Amino acid sequence: MATDLQRSVQRLHYVCSECGAEAPKWQGRCPACAAWNTLSEDLMRVAGRKAVALTAAATTTPMATVMAVPGRVLATGSFEVDRVLGGGIVPGSVVLLGGDPGIGKSTIALQVSNSCGDEVSPALYCTGEESLEQLALRARRLCCTGARVRLLVESDVDTLIATIEAERPSLVVVDSVQTLRDAGTPGPPGSVSQVRAAVLRMSDVAKATGVPVLLVGHVTKEGAIAGPRTLEHMVDVVLYLEGERLGEHRMLRGIKNRFGATGEVGLLGMERDGMRDLAAPSRGMLDAASLGEAGSVVTITCDGLRPMAVEVQALAVASPFEFPRRMASGFELNRLHLMLAVLTKRARITIPKLDVFINVAGGIRLDDPGTDLAVALAIAGSMKNRAVSRHSAVIGEVGLGGEVRRVSRTELRLAEAVAVGMEAVILPESYRGAVPGDLRCHRVSNLIQAVALLG
Ligand code: TYD
Ligand code: MG
């Protein structure tokens, strides 16, 4: 009599090479994504089940007898990148670096390999997208032309793995994961089944050899890195590089990290000769020319664990239209409407027929409610033609009753205010924590008190 296990071995599964959906029987069209002729037998699963049916059970280990040996992490040469990684690159780990095309992924990857490699055990930079000449041009621009990095143009996973086993590099970069091809898996390069198989195999070789792997992945139109979210479960760390492509600022965001905190953000600047850490003064997206003008207010937003000084600008002008316009760039429009309503009702500022525009400098998006008060004061300042003093930062959330509420991570924000050269701060009355000695402090409990501070 067949056991359940044997029966499930005999049952074939079919998997779509486009979207990764599974089906119990073969069909001409994938029931999930409606692509034609993409279902094929899931050979890995079938082979796996057969193997399980024939294999003896493993010996388990009591937790108390295992010593956690912290391996030596590789420094990436950038304080900001190390910060997001949780100290550096852990041996045997797999890191996925995603981002839009042209944002600077290959640039960071090459700089990191140059820092992780040395003459004795160089890093291996494997590309399936560019020629050796193109790579050499970039390397010259980044001053990474020494013996610390070896180059390989290859897209076959087997060849890459054999090379890693033979050369034992200090780090492997695969640029990009979409160009890898696994001969034993159906589907064209870049398809979900191919990318998944390639990542699994790279992950196995990383664990077996201890060589860390940095996979570069393009973000698809849908916003997922290298296909469906399943890829994110197969790697140890997922980083995401973002920013305005034409601007110089980049944010490196930790989406997942098995070795450190997620939500870490690294601030980088894309320069002519590569990616640089942003130092405290340039971390603040502040334009000295407009600070201290009516309608310009500095706030400290906190993105994950990362505080950052940003300038909020508001412009309120008489509207030529029957229905005044309200526009916001870098701030949610609904929240702007809400601030206008609260200013009208709770701070007794009538906003008659005015067009109101909000702009957040530096291409930053403010999703953090801790920046409400700054937006409200920028609007009030522009209407009354009064300014917050030039070296003041404004922190606080505004409630529907016009009350100014405490915000998360105020200590971090205050430390950043000092680092970017602020001398005073307007903050919620209810904040009970410490304020750095060199910051003058104005505490407010509602919008009326805050508006009264406009000079
Ligand atoms: P790249 O790293 O190739 O982006 P990705 O791999 O994410 O597609 O970088 C692309 C852009 O960056 C390109 O437009 C040129 C610019 N760049 C610099 O500004 N400075 C540099 O040092 C380098 C190498 C590129
Ligand atoms: Mg690239």
Side-chain angles (χ1 to χ4, degrees), residues 4 23-24 48 54 57 62 81 84 142 156 163 191 213 231 248-249 258 267 276 376 391 398 407 440 450:
D4 281 354
L54 302 173
V81 177
V84 181
L142 304 176
D156 181 56
T163 315
S191 63
V213 175
L231 209 56
E248 60 191 307
H249 294 123
R258 286 191 180 142
L267 298 175
R276 294 268 169 279
H391 295 291
V398 176
V407 303
R440 265 179 296 117

Side-chain angles (χ1 to χ4, degrees), residues 99-109 111 125 129-130 137-139 141-142 175 216 218 241 245 250 270-275:
D100 288 326
I103 201 76
K105 300 181 295 298
S106 302
T107 307
I108 290 201
Q111 285 180 294
Y125 191 106
E129 303 207 323
E130 291 169 299
L137 270 179
R138 181 182 293 117
R141 198 164 164 187
L142 304 176
D175 190 359
V216 173
H218 295 298
L241 187 63
R245 203 154 79 94
R250 299 283 185 274
M270 182 67 150
E271 290 171 13
R272 286 165 55 91
D273 54 353
M275 210 69 93

Side-chain angles (χ1 to χ4, degrees), residues 300-345:
I300 318 282
T301 175
C302 208
D303 197 329
L305 302 171
R306 190 58 191 258
M308 186 167 41
V310 213
E311 180 189 350
V312 178
Q313 297 179 318
L315 190 63
V317 287
S319 177
F321 303 107
E322 170 111 20
F323 299 102
R325 281 176 303 173
R326 270 76 215 253
M327 283 167 67
S329 148
F331 191 74
E332 204 200 324
L333 187 61
N334 282 336
R335 205 140 183 102
L336 167 60
H337 286 304
L338 201 126
M339 284 305 121
L340 292 172
V342 176
L343 277 169
T344 309
K345 181 93 178 174

Side-chain angles (χ1 to χ4, degrees), residues 9 14 30 58 63 70 77 84 89 97 104 109 125 137 141 160 183 192 272 275 294 303 337 391 398 411 445 451:
V9 167
Y14 293 85
C30 169
M63 176 94 85
V84 181
I89 298 184
L97 170 63
Y125 191 106
L137 270 179
R141 198 164 164 187
L160 174 57
V192 174
R272 286 165 55 91
M275 210 69 93
D303 197 329
H337 286 304
H391 295 291
V398 176
E411 290 86 353
S445 58
V451 171

Side-chain angles (χ1 to χ4, degrees), residues 49 172 182 207 250 274 320 352 405:
R49 288 233 168 102
V172 179
D182 179 38
K207 300 290 175 282
R250 299 283 185 274
R405 295 163 166 266

Side-chain angles (χ1 to χ4, degrees), residues 109-189:
L110 190 55
Q111 285 180 294
V112 166
S113 19
N114 194 54
S115 296
C116 291
D118 55 36
E119 279 78 8
V120 185
S121 75
L124 176 64
Y125 191 106
C126 172
T127 179
E129 303 207 323
E130 291 169 299
S131 65
L132 286 179
E133 290 70 26
Q134 282 171 312
L135 268 178
L137 270 179
R138 181 182 293 117
R140 202 166 311 142
R141 198 164 164 187
L142 304 176
C143 304
C144 298
T145 45
R148 293 155 155 254
V149 185
R150 294 182 68 83
L151 305 177
L152 172 68
V153 176
E154 184 56 70
S155 53
D156 181 56
V157 180
D158 292 305
T159 315
L160 174 57
I161 290 179
T163 315
I164 295 170
E165 281 169 349
E167 294 201 356
R168 296 290 169 133
S170 56
L171 168 78
V172 179
V173 170
V174 179
D175 190 359
S176 69
V177 70
Q178 276 99 345
T179 57
L180 281 186
R181 187 163 35 81
D182 179 38
T185 306

Side-chain angles (χ1 to χ4, degrees), residues 16 55 132 156 183 215 218 221 230 255 266 278 288 308 316 319 347-348 350 360 392 403 405 443:
C16 170
T55 311
L132 286 179
D156 181 56
L215 302 169
H218 295 298
K221 287 193 293 296
T230 48
I255 308 282
L278 286 185
M308 186 167 41
S319 177
R348 292 177 224 118
T350 35
V360 180
S392 294
E403 76 279 16
R405 295 163 166 266
R443 294 172 185 269

